[in-house]
Amino acid sequence: AQSVTQLDSHVSVSEGTPVLLRCNYSSSYSPSLFWYVQHPNKGLQLLLKYTSAATLVKGINGFEAEFKKSETSFHLTKPSAHMSDAAEYFCVVSGLYNQGGKLIFGQGTELSVKP
Amino acid sequence: DVKVTQSSRYLVKRTGEKVFLECVQDMDHENMFWYRQDPGLGLRLIYFSYDVKMKEKGDIPEGYSVSREKKERFSLILESASTNQTSMYLCASSRFAGGDTQYFGPGTRLTVL
């Protein structure tokens, strides 16, 4: 069965420092993996998506994630945090095809950015 | 751009009331989803639909039903609202099954008193 674990419920960084949000997944086949972001009182927005092409995936707003099959990880990084990055981030793995496109969400990581 | 709209941003209802949450997407997507979001639990799938008049139970369907009479519209129904259904409800749509990108609406924050 597919599952995803976000290793930190809360991460705090200073503006201008790197961001690392950690995600491990479990899947019985090569999954699609996503990172979504949710700003306060807003819906979820897609940051980036991995679909078995390049293992380093670039997303919007300077974020990127690296798919590491040997470590079953899909960590999200950004070289330099900005105040506007403060939000909740969700790591997501695709369900089995016969589950009708179901996505399985991690519990979320709240990112705080200090001035 | 894909647009997914939800009928209300905030809703307050009383225990026992019948509640309708409406979702409309404008990109002719086949698949539509309803999730609820609670702190520390991420998003949990309530129901999804892969075609008009078709529906499938998600992980937490108890106390909910859905309706999809038209391709662009997917409704979530709480037959008799209870306080434990106080939550944020998010609608999403995707073109394909099998792990396609889902596009989300802004959410409806429902409070049941």
Side-chain angles (χ1 to χ4, degrees), chain A residues 32 34 36 38 41-44 46 49 88 90 94 97 99-103 105-107, chain B residues 9-10 31 33 35 37 40 42-43 45 48 59 90 97-102 104-106:
Chain A
S32 294
F34 308 77
Y36 281 84
Q38 185 180 33
N41 299 313
K42 296 283 181 68
L44 275 73
L46 180 69
K49 176 182 178 181
E88 189 157 23
F90 293 94
S94 59
Y97 185 85
Q99 293 178 311
K102 178 179 176 177
L103 296 182
F105 286 77
Q107 289 85 351
Chain B
R9 291 300 306 273
Y10 300 94
N31 305 289
F33 307 83
Y35 296 89
Q37 182 180 15
L43 274 71
L45 182 64
F48 65 98
D59 299 317
L90 292 166
D100 193 23
T101 300
Q102 292 185 13
F104 285 82

Side-chain angles (χ1 to χ4, degrees), chain A residues 21-99:
Chain A
L21 304 184
R22 299 181 296 164
C23 172
N24 286 350
Y25 70 93
S26 172
S27 179
S28 54
Y29 70 112
S30 292
S32 294
L33 291 159
F34 308 77
W35 276 97
Y36 281 84
V37 61
Q38 185 180 33
H39 288 93
N41 299 313
K42 296 283 181 68
L44 275 73
Q45 180 185 18
L46 180 69
L47 270 181
L48 51 81
K49 176 182 178 181
Y50 166 77
T51 55
S52 75
T55 56
L56 184 62
V57 183
K58 293 189 183 300
I60 62 171
N61 301 334
F63 284 94
E64 61 182 35
E66 186 171 7
F67 174 72
K68 291 187 176 180
K69 187 174 181 179
S70 60
E71 298 176 10
T72 61
S73 69
F74 190 58
H75 302 334
L76 182 71
T77 60
K78 183 173 180 177
S80 175
H82 191 273
M83 295 296 291
S84 61
D85 295 329
E88 189 157 23
Y89 292 79
F90 293 94
C91 184
V92 183
V93 64
S94 59
L96 296 173
Y97 185 85
N98 61 5
Q99 293 178 311

Side-chain angles (χ1 to χ4, degrees), chain B:
Chain B
D1 277 353
V2 176
K3 191 161 187 184
V4 180
T5 56
Q6 296 183 230
S7 51
S8 305
R9 291 300 306 273
Y10 300 94
L11 208 52
V12 179
K13 295 292 181 181
R14 297 207 173 272
T15 302
E17 280 192 78
K18 191 169 185 176
V19 182
F20 293 87
L21 303 182
E22 299 273 317
C23 175
V24 177
Q25 51 92 5
D26 67 355
M27 285 300 292
D28 201 37
H29 282 174
E30 302 290 334
N31 305 289
M32 296 188 74
F33 307 83
W34 275 107
Y35 296 89
R36 65 176 282 175
Q37 182 180 15
D38 300 288
L41 296 178
L43 274 71
R44 293 179 292 166
L45 182 64
I46 305 171
Y47 268 96
F48 65 98
S49 168
Y50 52 88
D51 202 352
V52 175
K53 297 191 185 295
M54 306 301 288
K55 60 185 179 184
E56 293 285 342
K57 292 180 180 179
D59 299 317
I60 51 163
E62 296 78 18
Y64 303 94
S65 62
V66 290
S67 172
R68 193 164 181 204
E69 297 296 321
K70 293 185 177 181
K71 191 175 187 179
E72 67 272 18
R73 188 179 297 269
F74 192 35
S75 302
L76 180 69
I77 303 154
L78 287 66
E79 296 290 343
S80 177
S82 64
T83 55
N84 62 13
Q85 293 178 310
T86 292
S87 187
M88 170 72 89
Y89 290 88
L90 292 166
C91 175
S93 71
S94 70
R95 184 170 299 281
F96 304 115
D100 193 23
T101 300
Q102 292 185 13
Y103 298 88
F104 285 82
T108 296
R109 186 166 293 282
L110 173 67
T111 301
V112 183
L113 302 174

